[in-house]
Amino acid sequence: MSSMRAISLTGFGGPEKLEPVQVPRPEPLPTEVLVRVHAAGVNPVDWKTRSGGGMSGVLGEPPFVLGWDVSGVVEEAGFGVTTLAPGDEVYGMPWFPRAAGAYAEYVTAPSRQFTRKPSSVDHVTAAAVPLAALTAWQSLVDTAGVGAGQRVLIHAAAGGVGHIAVQLARHLGAYVVGTAGAANHKWLRGLGVDEVIDYTSTRFEAATGDIDVVIDLVGDEHDDTSTRSLRVLRPGGLLVAVPSGVSPELLKRAAEHGVRATPFLVEPDAPALARIADLIDQGTLTVEVEDVLPLDQAAEAHRRGERGHTRGKRVLSVVS
Ligand SMILES: NC(=O)c1ccc[n+]([C@@H]2O[C@H](COP(=O)([O-])OP(=O)(O)OC[C@H]3O[C@@H](n4cnc5c(N)ncnc54)[C@H](OP(=O)(O)O)[C@@H]3O)[C@@H](O)[C@H]2O)c1
């Protein structure tokens, strides 16, 4: 059996628990593809899971390989696969919330959890897209049904999900308000945000209101952002509480304010990724990659991400 390089999580804890190892190369079952990973996106759920939170309850005890965002090339197609073939350039967020093992040279997954990557960008940029863009798409389109003329507030507008969500909300015809530190304001206006609030100097609820949909990418763990967001919603408006879900207390307060609140968890969705690839190739959606590190520096990627001020995304390069 041939082996491959991967980054193993050797135990729950800090970034030092991420260790380069050799492991057996996986083989595709019927209906699965084996994908040669060219680049793997890094997401907050990766370091939350590494620390024993995030999806650790689903994944069980380490060792296991983290990572869900993949851009790469189909190496082998299992029996029954008719829509992809060896040589196809694909991207996806397979298996979530089960382990995908994207911090590795190869992954296997159901073929229909991948789709063709956007052709106008390289694998590094494509690997930055799936989890963040599916979160933006599924919260704005599928969960909130955002439409033209609505007012949408996006917290953490400069982050991985946020910078894609602001562009999608704008594309859907919404008036977009975002929260971010001052250093990101000019860039966010360039992405189409109508108003940016500096959350470090201004209470956002004093600066905006009449909001139809809040996409909260900060949560109640930081400064009661979810709870405070209830006050800016119009009657009947919707809070999508992305990072920390909706506590019974938050639900009660939402009812008192005459607004709605929903938890959210992203799901694999290749048809949505195909539409997102089209938006990228048409130039409607641009994806910011703050930095790229080699696979062996996954620990350093986590250290940088955990500081909480990534502009756009951080990606691990697996094939240089
Ligand atoms: N439930 C799900 O399915 C799901 C899916 C995706 C993500 N998430 C969660 O959603 C959150 C965001 O994910 P992400 O990938 O976008 O994270 P990220 O890229 O790490 O977010 C970094 C951004 O957060 C901004 N920020 C930090 N504190 C802020 C605050 N108090 N108010 C406004 N902005 C703030 C920073 O902007 P400045 O530098 O300007 O401060 C930075 O640009 C994470 O907690 C993640 O785990 C959940």
Side-chain angles (χ1 to χ4, degrees), residues 44 48 135 156 158-161 179 181 184 199 217 242-243 264-266 308-310:
K48 290 179 184 177
T135 301
V161 179
T179 60
N184 284 316
Y199 70 91
L217 301 164
V242 177
F264 172 88
L265 192 61
V266 67
H309 296 288
T310 305

Side-chain angles (χ1 to χ4, degrees), residues 43-112:
N43 292 287
V45 67
D46 302 0
W47 58 77
K48 290 179 184 177
T49 305
R50 188 208 70 218
S51 311
M55 294 303 134
S56 59
V58 178
L59 271 57
E61 285 298 310
F64 51 74
V65 176
L66 281 169
W68 281 276
D69 273 339
V70 172
S71 183
V73 178
V74 175
E75 178 97 0
E76 241 181 274
F79 175 81
V81 175
T82 55
T83 54
L84 292 175
D88 285 346
E89 296 194 305
V90 294
Y91 79 146
M93 186 201 68
W95 293 117
F96 191 87
R98 296 175 190 268
Y103 293 5
E105 288 181 299
Y106 293 90
V107 299
T108 50
S111 70
R112 285 165 196 268

Side-chain angles (χ1 to χ4, degrees), residues 5-293:
R5 267 186 319 133
I7 302 297
S8 176
L9 181 70
T10 56
F12 293 126
E16 73 285 352
K17 299 285 187 186
L18 294 168
E19 285 182 17
V21 291
Q22 287 287 327
V23 294
R25 194 174 108 170
E27 287 175 13
L29 293 174
T31 73
E32 291 183 350
V33 285
L34 173 72
V35 173
R36 171 79 161 105
V37 181
H38 282 235
V42 178
N43 292 287
V45 67
D46 302 0
W47 58 77
K48 290 179 184 177
T49 305
R50 188 208 70 218
S51 311
M55 294 303 134
S56 59
V58 178
L59 271 57
E61 285 298 310
F64 51 74
V65 176
L66 281 169
W68 281 276
D69 273 339
V70 172
S71 183
V73 178
V74 175
E75 178 97 0
E76 241 181 274
F79 175 81
V81 175
T82 55
T83 54
L84 292 175
D88 285 346
E89 296 194 305
V90 294
Y91 79 146
M93 186 201 68
W95 293 117
F96 191 87
R98 296 175 190 268
Y103 293 5
E105 288 181 299
Y106 293 90
V107 299
T108 50
S111 70
R112 285 165 196 268
Q113 294 189 7
F114 285 104
T115 191
R116 280 175 177 72
K117 81 178 231 312
S119 56
S120 58
V121 299
D122 61 11
H123 283 292
V124 163
T125 302
V129 174
L131 194 145
L134 285 177
T135 301
W137 184 280
Q138 291 170 3
S139 57
L140 287 164
V141 178
D142 302 337
T143 305
V146 166
Q150 289 196 313
R151 287 169 58 82
V152 177
L153 168 63
I154 296 169
H155 289 303
V161 179
H163 86 293
I164 293 175
V166 296
Q167 295 174 77
L168 275 181
R170 183 66 195 250
H171 176 66
L172 295 166
Y175 182 90
V176 183
V177 184
T179 60
N184 284 316
H185 287 202
K186 192 172 166 216
W187 171 63
L188 285 169
R189 285 203 189 89
L191 293 180
V193 181
D194 295 289
E195 279 176 50
V196 200
I197 301 167
D198 181 358
Y199 70 91
T200 65
S201 61
T202 308
R203 301 285 280 182
F204 62 81
E205 62 271 43
T208 193
D210 284 337
I211 298 290
D212 294 287
V213 175
V214 176
I215 305 296
D216 178 12
L217 301 164
V218 175
D220 258 347
E221 287 141 21
H222 299 282
D223 225 5
D224 290 335
T225 297
S226 295
T227 301
R228 287 164 53 212
S229 295
L230 299 175
R231 291 185 229 158
V232 305
L233 284 166
R234 280 183 174 150
L238 177 67
L239 166 71
V240 185
V242 177
S244 39
V246 175
S247 66
E249 176 62 22
L250 184 64
L251 209 54
K252 190 168 146 252
R253 291 214 190 178
E256 285 163 9
H257 279 84
V259 300
R260 298 167 294 143
T262 181
F264 172 88
L265 192 61
V266 67
E267 299 178 40
D269 185 351
L273 278 181
R275 295 178 69 181
I276 289 161
D278 286 343
L279 291 176
I280 293 171
D281 288 339
Q282 288 158 13
T284 304
L285 183 60
T286 61
V287 179
E288 176 84 2
V289 177
E290 181 176 306
D291 58 16
V292 187
L293 290 105

